[in-house]
Amino acid sequence: PFYRPNAPIRSNLINDGLIGTKVQLKGTVYKSDCVTPLNNALVEIWHCNTKGEYDNKSKNFNQRGALITSNEGEYSFLTILPGKYLNGKLYRPAHIHYRVTEENSKELISQIYFRGDPHIEKDPWASQEKAELRILEIRLLDVSGNLTLNFDIYLKEK
């Protein structure tokens, strides 16, 4: 799904001239026991801009970034809510792609979606029962109207 290796290590994916609603995307990466945080996991995200376009070629790696989780397994990106694009005759719901790797764990490749998106119901991937926990609620972070999404990740050991 439009993955590009070697995205820059950065937490801020907002570049000059980027149009869109800012959102703080954060979470914790855990071992499969669902309790033990995983530090030093590589969390990569990517998504399209508000026009539904992916940056597949530029040196800027727009709307693409990677982070190493903290000692507490935490990660956090500042980005925008992505747009939508046609997939055949249907629009894909807005989504953000994830790739999470850690040396003692199985690789995870996934997508998150946003509760209330009218295109989820007909999307062949987002409408599956197994996607239910990846449909997230956008929440107000503070009194200034800043938005946040929380997505905790559980990796299986190799």
Side-chain angles (χ1 to χ4, degrees):
F2 307 111
Y3 175 75
R4 285 179 68 191
N6 305 313
I9 300 290
R10 62 180 172 196
S11 61
N12 187 345
L13 279 59
I14 308 292
N15 57 303
D16 289 342
L18 182 63
I19 297 168
T21 302
K22 291 180 185 178
V23 64
Q24 191 75 42
L25 175 56
K26 59 185 181 172
T28 303
V29 179
Y30 294 98
K31 288 185 176 183
S32 61
D33 66 5
C34 303
V35 176
T36 308
L38 272 173
N39 65 332
N40 293 319
L42 177 66
V43 179
E44 298 174 85
I45 69 166
W46 66 97
H47 59 82
C48 63
N49 63 18
T50 55
K51 296 177 183 177
E53 302 164 336
Y54 284 89
D55 178 359
N56 293 322
K57 296 181 181 173
S58 87
K59 293 183 234 174
N60 297 331
F61 282 80
N62 295 316
Q63 292 79 241
R64 295 174 183 273
L67 285 176
I68 303 294
T69 56
S70 70
N71 288 337
E72 294 79 33
E74 298 171 335
Y75 70 92
S76 179
F77 293 96
L78 178 62
T79 190
I80 61 162
L81 294 174
K84 300 178 183 190
Y85 55 88
L86 277 173
N87 183 34
K89 294 182 180 181
L90 297 174
Y91 276 96
R92 289 286 335 268
H95 59 281
I96 297 175
H97 298 272
Y98 270 79
R99 179 176 182 256
V100 185
T101 53
E102 191 271 337
E103 70 176 299
N104 299 310
S105 304
K106 293 183 179 181
E107 174 187 59
L108 173 71
I109 297 175
S110 193
Q111 300 174 33
I112 60 169
Y113 306 97
F114 310 103
R115 191 169 316 282
D117 188 316
H119 295 102
I120 288 175
E121 188 176 309
K122 293 185 180 179
D123 185 76
W125 300 280
S127 64
Q128 294 179 7
E129 188 175 321
K130 65 182 181 179
E132 187 176 316
L133 295 177
R134 294 182 287 115
I135 301 171
L136 307 179
E137 185 174 340
I138 301 168
R139 298 182 179 196
L140 289 172
L141 181 62
D142 54 33
V143 296
S144 300
N146 293 309
L147 302 177
T148 188
L149 285 164
N150 191 79
F151 183 54
D152 291 337
I153 298 165
Y154 306 90
L155 295 181
K156 291 184 181 179
E157 284 80 20
K158 289 183 179 176

